[in-house]
Every structure is written in structure tokens, then in C-alpha cells.
Amino acid sequence: MPPKTDRAAAILDAAEAEFSAHGFDGVTLRTIAKRAGVDVALPHYYFDSKDNLFVAVFDRRAKMLNDWREEALIAAIEAARPKAPTVEAIVRAYLEPLLKGPHLAEPGWKYYYALVAYVNNAPGWGGRLMGEHFDPLIRKFLDALCLAIPNIDPKDLFWGYHCFSGALTLALAQTGRIDKLSGGFVRSEDLADACEHMVPFITAGFEAAKKAAPTPRARTGRVKSSAH
């Protein structure tokens, strides 16, 4: 059994691995306790219920992801001043902190990313946890995209982000499907490679919306004659 000071962390680690592999309904507190190497009563002692434990697991790394991405977004905006940031710079600020970096060497992040992918596609959890933990920051990215594409149709903005989120979720899941489809040429666990291919693809999607956006009236409207 882990030392007392480490038991809650051991339970969180075990729950992260189990929930990411089997989902919420496929896991019991007994299974988590066994994997954590603790008494079967301790998950309930520390977290009261499986629901609370699931939320605690999701909470644990969310702030780190938000802090990294917000820092990258602020840097992209500041680097572009006095102009607006480019679409590509915004997309990179969103993706690179997640898909590149030394944190990926820690096995727990693979479990957490798979859990995020699961939650983002789970009707019971997605709207609640994704909305609570990530939507405030995502709105800042959407505001930045509106700076880069001032006249973007709101439907293009939100459906564009929907496609963006879906592609990222599939990358985070690291299911191995693309490995089989490509005959091993591409590996789903190579998140840095995924990032370099996603950035231009997602950028092009939003750039297409930029081209479709109406030109501001100030640029195309007729100038009234001073005689009238």
C-alpha cells in the first residue's frame, strides 16, 4: 500500500488509467482501489463517490492545459501588435502546448488525453465538464479568431471550431486506428507530427471562412458626393 500521503494521488492515477480505458460506467471503485494498491474503502473515503472521483481526475490536469494555452495565445496576440494575430498563430497557440512538450513523457498524460477524448464525446459529461473547465478559455481563442477574421459568419466560426475540436479529440484519443490505415506510416502516438499536419489543415479551414466573409462596408460602399 502506498504511504498515507500518497494514497489519494495513487487513487487518482489509477482512476485516470481505468476511466480512460473503460469509461465511467465500465469502472468500479473496487477496480480502482485494486489498481492503486489501496484498501477498497479508501476511494470512497477520499472522494465520497465515483462521480466525485471522476470529476477530480478530470480537474487535476485541466488548469495546466489552460494555463499553457492562454500563455501561448497572449504571446501570439502581443507578437502581432498593432495588427491582429494570424489564423495560423492562433491555431498554433491552441495546439502546440497540448501536442508538444516535455509533459508528454509522463505516462499519465496519455491516459488524461484519452479521458478528455472520452468526455468530449460523452453526452452525459461533455457539456458539463468541457464547458466548465475549457469553454472560458476557448471563448478567448474564438475572440482572437474574430480579430483575425473580423467579418466571419458566426456559424462558420462555431462550426469551424466544432470541426477543430473533433480533430483534436481524435488525436488525443491515440486509438491506433490511423496506424493500421497507414500501414504503420503514421503513428497516432506521434502527437508532434499530428500537430504539424493539423495546423495547416485547420488554418486552411478558417482561412476559407475568411475568404467567404463579406468585405466591410467602409471599403466597398459608395462614397457620397459632396454635392448631395
Side-chain angles (χ1 to χ4, degrees):
M1 185 177 291
K4 286 185 177 180
T5 53
D6 297 334
R7 287 175 190 171
I11 292 167
L12 287 169
D13 289 342
E16 186 175 62
E18 290 292 329
F19 285 138
S20 70
H22 306 293
F24 178 80
D25 294 321
V27 176
T28 66
L29 291 181
R30 181 178 293 275
T31 303
I32 292 169
K34 183 177 180 180
R35 181 168 187 142
V38 301
D39 186 272
V40 69
L42 286 183
H44 190 275
Y45 172 79
Y46 283 111
F47 299 100
D48 189 52
S49 67
K50 188 169 76 166
D51 288 61
N52 287 348
L53 176 55
F54 188 84
V55 172
V57 170
F58 197 83
D59 287 353
R60 186 167 58 153
R61 301 182 194 267
K63 187 178 185 305
M64 284 185 275
L65 292 183
N66 284 333
D67 288 347
W68 295 337
R69 287 189 292 178
E70 184 165 21
E71 182 180 345
L73 178 62
I74 291 171
I77 292 172
E78 290 299 320
R81 290 189 187 281
K83 297 181 179 180
T86 65
V87 173
E88 181 179 348
I90 297 166
V91 172
R92 283 196 177 276
Y94 192 100
L95 287 177
E96 287 188 343
L98 274 70
L99 304 182
K100 296 182 177 182
H103 69 285
L104 295 174
E106 182 190 336
W109 279 101
K110 183 171 183 177
Y111 295 137
Y112 185 73
Y113 280 176
L115 183 64
V116 170
Y118 165 76
V119 169
N120 200 30
N121 289 281
W125 291 104
R128 173 186 167 189
L129 292 182
M130 298 299 290
E132 179 181 330
H133 290 86
F134 296 125
D135 281 5
L137 178 62
I138 288 167
R139 292 187 184 280
K140 293 181 181 181
F141 274 91
L142 294 176
D143 288 344
L145 284 169
C146 287
L147 292 176
I149 315 172
N151 301 292
I152 188 171
D153 186 302
K155 284 191 174 182
D156 289 336
L157 176 67
F158 289 106
W159 280 118
Y161 175 75
H162 192 70
C163 296
F164 187 1
S165 177
L168 176 58
T169 295
L170 188 57
L172 294 179
Q174 300 177 62
T175 63
R177 184 184 177 199
I178 196 171
D179 306 52
K180 295 178 181 178
L181 284 172
S182 68
F185 186 70
V186 176
R187 296 179 297 109
S188 63
E189 64 183 18
D190 190 347
L191 295 181
D193 192 43
C195 182
E196 288 308 308
H197 286 81
M198 287 175 66
V199 167
F201 191 86
I202 299 299
T203 298
F206 281 114
E207 289 287 356
K210 182 177 182 179
K211 293 176 182 177
T215 306
R217 280 190 175 185
R219 297 178 185 174
T220 58
R222 293 181 179 179
V223 178
K224 293 183 179 180
S225 167
S226 58
H228 293 83

